[in-house]
Amino acid sequence: MTKKPRRSQAWYGKSDKDGFIHRSWMKNQGFPDHAFDGRPVIGICNTWSELTPCNSGLRELAEGVKRGVWEAGGFPVEFPVMSLGETQMKPTAMLFRNLLAMDVEESIRAYGIDGVVLLGGCDKTTPGQLMGAASVDLPAIVVSSGPMLNGKWQGNDIGSGTDVWKFSEAVRAGDMTLKDFMAAESGMSRSKGVCMTMGTASTMASIVEAMGLCLPTNAALPAVDARRMALAHLTGKRIVEMVDEDLKPSDILTRAAFENAILANAAVGGSTNAVVHLLALAGRVGVDLTLKDFEIGGDIPLLVNCMPSGRYLMEDFCYAGGMPVVLKELGDLLRASRTVLGGDIAAYADGAECWNRDVIRPFDDPLKPAAGLRVLRGNLAPDGAIVKPSAATEALLEHEAEAYVFESIEDLKANIDRDDLPVTPDTILVLKGCGPKGYPGMPEVGNMPIPARLVKQGVRDMVRVSDARMSGTAYGTVILHVAPEANAGGPLALVQTGDRIRISAKTGTLDLLVSDEELATRRAAWAPDPPRYDRGYARLYVDTVLQADRGADLDFLVGKDTRPVTRESH
């Protein structure tokens, strides 16, 4: 059988002026003639950056990938793309997820590579890289940076994000000193790697494994564990084989794979952010995924006892057996789906054993029953909203009360600590202007702080409603991703303090209890806020971004373009 010609040979296999240019300039790095003999050229797409602490170990992992590529007879070439530091970027890393996806897509398309290894980890780097790679559809595989070691403070384990929110509220309540708060800061992040809670980064790594886009055990191995370097080596070896097999993202990212991701997200108590990322990725590969599809995870029990839905951390999850055990517990619920190893996802569970049943619970004895994300709809969210029951107060998931409205994030920050704020523990807090267009970028501010006067009374959860997102490390009865957002003219824009709102996770409803006539009067008087940006990428984003129920991708990036590049630069 004649093998498909290598894509890289259009760059490095020609004997003319163009071939001379492509090879000669590469040789200034010391590559010998035989590196260009037709072997597969493997791109290593690296989001390493000192401004993205989660990804600060990827330089070393890239060396492991290279070892594996060379061993398998390939030619590894590392290249950088934009790195999105979730904890460092303003106004939000989510604003730039689509820019990273464009960077990845165009880099893969423009360079003479046959396959690509995606090195990411921090929240938006994994989905952004996958979106870009899927749009070109060359063989691709993921290596995650891995979680940090468990945080430590005063002899106890503490978790990224989750304990930050708890400690912050404790300081506001007067239950924790500022000195202790600052001391905990130094013990929380003890090694390279992503949040060691089941935040968005570890959620996306778990989902990637459940979709078969990486090698087994990739999700949970700590960033500094030698086994992660070995995994990187094996991944480099495998991508060369994938190129020979012409095994592409489109072969793996089927509807079945997305359904497995939804099931896995429920089982691990994963982040609500997985919703917007999976919707965007599905749009790139032409899978008709909608919010309704996420309801298949609604009855899946919570199996993984990790913060913020449980008590342990990712290091414990790894030692208990990691994602292979979760996939084994899901068993026949998993859909048949191809993986980067070429076989079915069920093989990822072969031989899996659980070493700590308090960390990974059996399916018939879960931490919580029916804990998957809930999709809410109603006249306040015609296109949907999301709530995470596993991290919420159960009694608040069926609730009706008056709203107190913050018109913007600035309004919230200026007033949330007022002693005379007219709220009670039953009040539903509403925040506007934090959707994809409004902020812009849909930041993680949906888990609004509890008003100071209530925190001092011991209140730690309230119903909160917004068009924003929240960190995967956060918790509470938080209604997120309300679509359409306020700045796009959604009903959220019309809510006023004193209006009654009803939420029912059981029936999947979110309603504003105001008459149609009154809402029509308000709409006639409403005008959108002026845009905050009038140039550059931010303007392009605001002008073209889709709403949360469609993944907040840019409208012109939906789909893919696999056409070969034929025009030369000289």
Side-chain angles (χ1 to χ4, degrees), residues 276 341 479 491:
V276 287
L341 289 175
I479 316 301

Side-chain angles (χ1 to χ4, degrees), residues 53 77 85 90 125 129 169 183 243 246 279 301 326 331 343 387 417 441 443 505 554:
V77 283
K90 296 183 180 182
T125 55
Q129 285 179 298
E169 295 295 76
V243 169
D246 197 28
L279 288 168
V326 175
V387 66
D417 288 337
L554 305 187

Side-chain angles (χ1 to χ4, degrees), residues 23-148:
R23 288 186 301 273
S24 178
W25 265 261
M26 288 291 284
K27 286 180 178 179
N28 80 355
Q29 299 173 84
F31 294 121
D33 286 340
H34 70 266
F36 306 95
D37 61 5
R39 66 188 63 201
V41 178
I42 304 299
I44 302 173
C45 178
N46 201 343
T47 55
W48 172 88
S49 170
E50 290 180 340
L51 284 169
T52 308
C54 300
N55 295 3
S56 59
L58 292 179
R59 249 186 183 171
E60 290 87 350
L61 285 184
E63 295 305 313
V65 174
K66 290 175 187 177
R67 291 194 317 224
V69 172
W70 285 120
E71 179 190 351
F75 177 14
V77 283
E78 183 181 355
F79 64 94
V81 289
M82 187 178 191
S83 190
L84 309 183
E86 185 67 34
T87 61
Q88 310 299 318
M89 299 186 87
K90 296 183 180 182
T92 170
M94 182 63 175
L95 176 62
F96 305 106
R97 181 201 65 180
N98 301 335
L99 184 57
L100 169 61
M102 293 172 71
D103 189 356
V104 171
E105 176 178 347
E106 301 305 338
S107 293
I108 293 173
R109 179 177 290 115
Y111 284 111
I113 60 178
D114 301 298
V116 62
V117 177
L118 306 174
L119 296 185
C122 195
D123 296 15
K124 309 304 177 294
T125 55
T126 299
Q129 285 179 298
L130 282 170
M131 290 159 64
S135 293
V136 189
D137 206 28
L138 293 185
I141 189 170
V142 172
V143 179
S144 300
S145 53
M148 289 185 278

